[in-house]
Amino acid sequence: MNERKLNIEEKFERWLNRWPKIHELYVKYEEILVYLVVGGMTTVVSWTVKFVANVLLYHGAVEHTTIQTLILSMLNWVSGVTFAFFTNRKYVFKSTAPMLPEAGKFVASRISTLILDYVVMMVLDTWLGINFYVATIISAVLVIVANYVFSKLLVFNKKKD
């Protein structure tokens, strides 16, 4: 028998078909559910880079100077945007549009949430002295919501003919 190997999407679909009600809910809310999973994975990637950099560069400090906050936020952002573009494009919004224009819009929208992240971290961590990790979580919630709205409405929007 010459059966081809299933990819991860096909395996998931086959597994999900075992539970019709759950499958129905998944189909109805697929985009937001997959966005949350991809967002969680993006968060793990970007925070890993940020926290490892904090340990390597600043010996695990919980309060930072302005330039240290900027450096950590930039490392967090670059790693997150790179991972998020490809995973959102393929798995969340299933885009087949030309990649370069979408990449440009994606980066532009993420620059705005980079600024949001930096301002929130500056206020909470640097100015108010709130714990670095708590400030990072608060900032992440705001950034995730803004990123979804920008991606849905501006970057991967499927125009009706």
Side-chain angles (χ1 to χ4, degrees):
M1 185 171 233
N2 191 10
E3 188 175 320
R4 75 177 178 85
K5 195 170 184 178
L6 299 176
N7 66 32
I8 194 161
E9 291 96 351
E10 292 167 328
K11 287 178 183 177
F12 179 70
E13 185 70 26
R14 194 175 270 185
W15 176 82
L16 195 57
N17 281 329
R18 294 178 186 167
W19 299 280
K21 291 285 186 193
I22 293 173
H23 184 262
E24 182 182 324
L25 287 171
Y26 175 78
V27 168
K28 185 174 181 179
Y29 299 107
E30 178 181 7
E31 186 178 275
I32 193 71
L33 292 170
V34 175
Y35 182 79
L36 291 172
V37 170
V38 167
M41 292 167 42
T42 300
T43 301
V44 168
V45 168
S46 62
W47 284 8
T48 298
V49 169
K50 183 178 188 176
F51 296 150
V52 168
N54 186 46
V55 168
L56 295 175
L57 299 173
Y58 309 119
H59 309 291
V62 293
E63 292 184 13
H64 300 88
T65 66
T66 302
I67 193 69
Q68 291 170 335
T69 298
L70 176 62
I71 290 167
L72 292 171
S73 290
M74 290 300 295
L75 291 169
N76 179 67
W77 183 81
V78 169
S79 60
V81 168
T82 303
F83 182 83
F85 175 70
F86 292 105
T87 53
N88 275 286
R89 178 179 163 79
K90 179 173 177 137
Y91 298 108
V92 178
F93 299 104
K94 299 176 182 173
S95 177
T96 57
M99 189 179 294
L100 196 55
E102 280 186 346
K105 291 188 284 187
F106 191 82
V107 169
S109 72
R110 296 296 168 116
I111 287 171
S112 67
T113 57
L114 168 65
I115 294 167
L116 173 63
D117 176 56
Y118 180 67
V119 168
V120 170
M121 290 302 294
M122 184 63 63
V123 169
L124 297 180
D125 178 34
T126 307
W127 295 346
L128 298 178
I130 292 175
N131 181 284
F132 171 70
Y133 299 101
V134 172
T136 298
I137 291 168
I138 293 168
S139 179
V141 169
L142 297 172
V143 166
I144 288 167
V145 171
N147 282 337
Y148 179 77
V149 170
F150 288 144
S151 290
K152 178 80 174 166
L153 299 179
L154 303 174
V155 179
F156 301 110
N157 61 341
K158 297 173 184 154
K159 295 186 171 94
K160 306 254 188 230
D161 291 331

